């Protein structure tokens, strides 16, 4: 008990801080022991079962029961999501497992780490490693260089010197009206860029229509395989997102902003801690106005209502809707929720005008997009390109063409959820709705993964479905059992039972609570439709 009391210090014992307290214990002791969980339950006046159900939900917490050994003091996580699979993650897993002492180093598979352009990706301790190989990881383990590596980025002083927070000041002083800003965003065609694509200005108006007090959340749980644009922006220019957030919060009169950031991004978390503190010290925000919340390894928390549950210190289980979070959101209050990139564009759109943004898209597709491109291309990375661009244009004009020796075969237009289309459909405009939707695909988080003749699309589909199986929250039977059964059916060496797969697909789409179960069959549908030669 004394250890837990000392660790929590003077922090308020609020229920919504449970996950933050579990992180404190995990970080300090390398696991969550039964004794510490009992002490935490007593200190917070919660049932042990309530503590346990939350801790056991999240992948980044290691529960150690009585009589069990603690995990090894150092953990290496190897990403085995789709882009890293293409780059040799399976071989890397075998090599590093054979090269380390399991008593000293634990090797784990991990879902997408958001470093797809530099695959295979790994994390040793809190150090993120690009283009990982076993020799690099073994040397880092030997040398003890396992702390967070912070990239060079634009801090508060540099951002302010270049005109940063000038717009926020004008908004707060009434020089720029909220109604004018909403109209500008609507004219620009700015949409939610985390996956759903809901018009940003309209979202502000809806939240403002409900009586206060109101709150705001920022969804930094960028877990869709193939997606890394938000990490790129926060590791280079975080204040552009933070200023956009403060303008949005002012617009809806939010009393506080909760910034939810995935635990897989330790550098981003450190940058945000530093720069939020700098904003407080500079008097731009009051202490505590932006509250940083740390995820704990759960893809489902990218779903907005599951994220709010996690912020409240609970398991990340999606809520039934209606009511929507704009009406009944965080702690029961009307809540404005935005993706990192959506907020990143607000300052530029308001300062440069709606047409500046809208005019950069293709006809009928307003706006510019940040495309996370990985896979079999010569120059992967975040590519600023028009909405409505085709994947063929992205490959040839922005990525230097296909990687040497590879021919374009297929692509994911929107990460794991968005389906798999053949190269023959490489001239479909990429945007929300339109022809892409008619093909049973969507652009989602704008994560494009490119495949070649070297890739078997059935193997790709199995990788994606294993991801969904692992990440299902388990709340609803169609998703929990459906993803597991789908993997079993696909892994059969004989031709898949198509009738069973189609029945299962229908149930998952019609009866799953949230988008995970509803979208998980997309790549399977396209495998059966377009890639029968890969069975």
């Amino acid at each position: 008990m004394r250890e837990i009391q000392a660790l929590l210090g003077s922090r308020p014992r609020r229920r919504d801080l449970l996950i933050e307290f579990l992180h404190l214990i995990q970080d300090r002791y390398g696991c969550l022991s039964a004794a510490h969980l009992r002490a935490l339950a007593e200190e917070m006046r919660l049932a042990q079962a309530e503590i346990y159900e939350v801790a056991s939900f999240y992948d980044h917490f290691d529960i150690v029961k009585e009589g069990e050994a603690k995990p090894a003091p150092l953990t290496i996580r190897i990403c085995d999501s789709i882009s890293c699979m293409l780059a040799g993650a399976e071989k890397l897993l075998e090599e590093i497992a054979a090269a380390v002492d399991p008593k000293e180093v634990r090797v784990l598979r991990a879902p997408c780490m958001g470093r797809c352009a530099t695959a295979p990706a790994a994390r040793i301790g809190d150090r993120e490693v690009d283009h990982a190989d076993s020799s690099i990881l073994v040397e880092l383990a030997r040398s003890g260089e396992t702390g967070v590596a912070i990239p060079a980025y634009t801090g508060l002083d540099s951002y302010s010197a270049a005109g940063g927070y000038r717009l926020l000041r004008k908004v707060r002083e009434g020089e720029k009206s909220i109604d004018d800003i909403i109209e500008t965003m609507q004219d620009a065609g700015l949409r939610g860029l985390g996956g759903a694509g809901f018009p940003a200005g309209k979202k502000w108006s809806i939240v403002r229509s409900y009586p206060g007090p109101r709150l705001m959340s920022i969804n930094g749980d960028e877990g869709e395989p193939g997606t890394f644009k938000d990490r790129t922006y926060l590791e280079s220019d975080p204040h552009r997102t933070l200023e956009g957030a403060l303008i949005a919060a002012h617009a809806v009169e939010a009393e506080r902003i909760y910034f939810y950031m995935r635990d897989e991004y330790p550098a981003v978390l450190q940058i945000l801690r530093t720069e939020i503190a700098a904003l407080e010290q500079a008097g731009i925000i009051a202490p505590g106005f932006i509250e940083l919340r740390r995820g704990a390894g759960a893809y489902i928390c990218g779903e907005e209502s599951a994220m709010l549950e996690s912020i409240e210190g609970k398991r990340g289980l999606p809520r039934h809707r209606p009511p929507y979070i704009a009406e009944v959101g965080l702690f029961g209050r009307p809540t404005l929720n935005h993706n990192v990139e959506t907020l990143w564009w607000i300052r530029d759109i308001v300062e440069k005008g709606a047409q500046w943004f809208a005019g950069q898209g293709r006809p009928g597709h307003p706006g510019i997009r940040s495309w996370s491109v990985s896979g079999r291309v010569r120059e992967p990375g975040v590519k600023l390109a028009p909405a409505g661009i085709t994947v063929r244009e992205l490959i040839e004009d922005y990525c230097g063409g296909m990687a040497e020796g590879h021919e374009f075969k297929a692509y994911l237009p929107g990460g794991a959820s968005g389906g798999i289309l053949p190269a023959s459909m490489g001239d479909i405009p990429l945007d929300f709705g339109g022809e892409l939707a008619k093909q049973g695909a969507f652009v989602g988080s704008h994560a494009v993964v490119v495949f070649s003749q070297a890739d078997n699309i059935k193997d790709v589909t199995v990788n994606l479905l294993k991801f969904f199986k692992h990440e299902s929250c388990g709340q609803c039977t169609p998703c929990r059992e459906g993803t597991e059964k789908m993997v079993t059916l696909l892994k059969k060496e004989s031709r898949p039972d198509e009738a069973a797969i189609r029945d299962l697909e229908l149930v998952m789409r019609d009866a799953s609570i949230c988008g995970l179960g509803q979208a998980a069959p997309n790549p399977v549908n396209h495998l059966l439709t377009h890639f029968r030669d890969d069975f």
Side-chain angles (χ1 to χ4, degrees):
M1 174 63 77
R2 286 196 297 271
E3 289 176 337
I4 295 301
Q5 289 175 338
L7 197 59
L8 270 54
S10 61
R11 296 175 178 87
R13 275 44 169 180
R14 298 199 320 259
R15 175 64 177 77
D16 64 288
L17 293 175
L18 173 57
I19 293 173
E20 298 300 309
F21 294 163
L22 291 171
H23 274 303
L24 289 174
I25 300 170
Q26 176 79 35
D27 291 346
R28 173 64 180 84
Y29 295 103
C31 66
L32 304 177
S33 70
H36 283 149
L37 290 179
R38 281 197 301 271
L40 181 62
E42 184 175 343
E43 184 68 13
M44 294 189 71
R45 303 295 189 267
L46 295 173
Q48 290 186 47
E50 194 169 356
I51 300 285
Y52 181 83
E53 74 170 10
V54 173
S56 60
F57 182 86
Y58 296 94
D59 277 356
H60 286 196
F61 295 136
D62 295 310
I63 297 174
V64 176
K65 298 178 181 178
E66 292 95 338
E68 291 183 347
K70 293 176 58 175
L74 180 62
T75 297
I76 296 177
R77 287 183 165 87
I78 306 294
C79 176
D80 67 355
S81 285
I82 189 62
S83 298
C84 289
M85 183 192 88
L86 301 183
E90 292 299 324
K91 180 182 178 183
L92 177 57
L93 277 159
E94 293 176 6
E95 290 177 350
I96 194 63
V100 299
D101 180 355
K103 294 179 181 179
E104 299 297 326
V105 179
R106 177 176 59 161
V107 179
L108 298 177
R109 292 176 176 270
C112 188
M113 296 180 176
R115 310 191 78 82
C116 319
T118 52
R123 175 174 169 180
I124 179 167
D126 284 332
R127 188 182 186 91
E128 298 160 284
V129 182
D130 296 329
H131 301 297
D133 65 40
S134 57
S135 61
I136 292 173
L137 295 172
V138 168
E139 176 56 28
L140 288 171
R142 187 200 62 78
S143 66
E145 296 180 37
T146 59
V148 181
I150 305 297
Y153 69 91
T154 301
L156 177 58
D157 290 344
S158 298
Y159 181 78
S160 299
Y165 293 105
R166 189 179 302 157
L167 176 60
L168 174 64
R169 187 164 55 252
K170 290 180 179 179
V171 170
R172 286 175 169 175
E173 293 173 355
E175 292 182 41
K176 286 275 188 182
S177 77
I178 298 303
D179 289 339
D180 287 346
I181 292 176
I182 290 175
E183 183 178 357
T184 298
M185 291 199 302
Q186 290 175 331
D187 291 345
L190 180 64
R191 306 179 73 159
L193 298 172
F198 194 84
K202 186 176 181 180
K203 184 182 287 190
W204 289 17
S205 297
I206 292 172
V207 173
R208 278 160 52 100
S209 72
Y210 292 108
R214 307 181 190 97
L215 295 170
M216 179 176 172
S217 59
I218 304 173
N219 191 339
D221 200 65
E222 185 179 53
E224 185 70 32
T227 314
F228 48 94
K229 58 186 177 64
D230 291 352
R231 175 188 61 80
T232 301
Y233 286 138
L234 291 175
E235 286 185 348
S236 58
D237 195 4
H239 283 283
R240 199 166 292 271
T241 289
L242 291 170
E243 182 171 14
L246 292 172
I247 292 169
H250 184 86
V252 300
E253 299 176 352
E255 292 187 348
R256 180 170 293 187
I257 298 173
Y258 290 83
F259 200 140
Y260 190 87
M261 178 49 56
R262 67 190 309 233
D263 197 38
E264 289 85 349
Y265 289 174
V268 171
L269 281 162
Q270 187 56 52
I271 288 169
L272 289 174
R273 291 186 193 104
T274 300
E275 297 310 314
I276 290 171
L279 288 174
E280 292 177 351
Q281 188 173 2
I284 296 174
I285 60 173
F289 183 75
I290 300 179
E291 191 165 326
L292 182 62
R293 291 298 180 90
R294 180 178 166 191
Y299 164 78
I300 191 63
C301 291
E303 196 276 338
E304 61 180 14
S305 67
M307 179 195 68
L308 298 190
E309 290 288 297
S310 189
I311 292 173
E312 292 180 3
K314 306 171 188 175
R315 294 175 295 165
L317 302 180
R319 299 175 181 175
H320 291 275
R321 293 175 289 186
Y324 293 91
I325 71 166
E327 179 182 5
V328 182
L330 191 56
F331 306 117
R333 298 185 182 185
T335 301
L336 175 68
N337 179 59
H338 271 311
N339 160 262
V340 167
E341 189 197 354
T342 306
L343 297 170
W344 200 86
W345 286 113
I346 289 175
R347 175 188 165 192
D348 279 342
I349 290 172
V350 176
E351 289 184 344
K352 298 177 181 179
Q355 185 54 38
W356 168 83
F357 184 80
Q360 295 187 63
R362 297 290 168 79
H365 304 278
I368 194 168
R369 300 282 191 269
S370 304
W371 304 91
S372 303
V373 186
S374 62
R376 308 295 192 182
V377 294
R378 192 180 300 273
E379 300 169 6
V382 175
K383 310 296 178 179
L384 281 175
I389 196 172
T390 69
V391 71
R392 205 178 303 278
E393 291 171 317
L394 265 177
I395 293 169
E396 297 301 325
D397 299 341
Y398 291 84
C399 298
M402 295 293 292
E404 187 173 353
H406 291 272
E407 298 175 5
F408 181 31
K409 176 180 178 177
Y411 67 106
L412 306 183
S417 305
I420 310 174
L421 297 181
S424 61
M425 294 184 177
D427 295 314
I428 294 176
L430 299 179
D431 203 356
F432 299 103
E435 180 62 26
L436 199 61
K438 293 178 183 177
Q439 299 300 330
F442 56 80
V443 76
S445 61
H446 296 74
V448 175
V449 183
V450 179
F451 306 107
S452 76
Q453 82 284 358
D455 305 312
N456 179 284
I457 303 304
K458 180 183 176 183
D459 292 342
V460 170
T461 304
V462 170
N463 177 282
L464 301 178
L465 265 293
K466 287 170 72 175
F467 168 80
F468 289 127
K469 172 188 170 184
H470 177 264
E471 296 297 338
S472 173
C473 75
Q475 178 179 196
C476 68
T477 303
C479 178
R480 181 185 67 246
E481 301 300 323
T483 51
E484 182 173 2
K485 183 64 173 177
M486 195 76 84
V487 170
T488 301
L489 290 169
L490 289 172
K491 289 179 72 175
K492 288 184 177 179
E493 294 186 8
S494 57
R495 291 185 70 84
D497 183 341
E498 292 190 40
I501 289 176
R502 290 300 189 186
D503 284 346
L504 190 57
E505 175 188 354
L506 181 64
V507 171
M508 292 176 68
R509 292 191 191 281
D510 288 351
S512 295
I513 289 174
C514 79
L516 192 157
Q518 295 162 11
N522 284 345
V524 183
N525 170 44
H526 291 137
L527 170 68
L528 298 178
T529 304
H530 303 299
F531 302 101
R532 304 185 69 84
D533 290 343
D534 282 13
F535 288 176

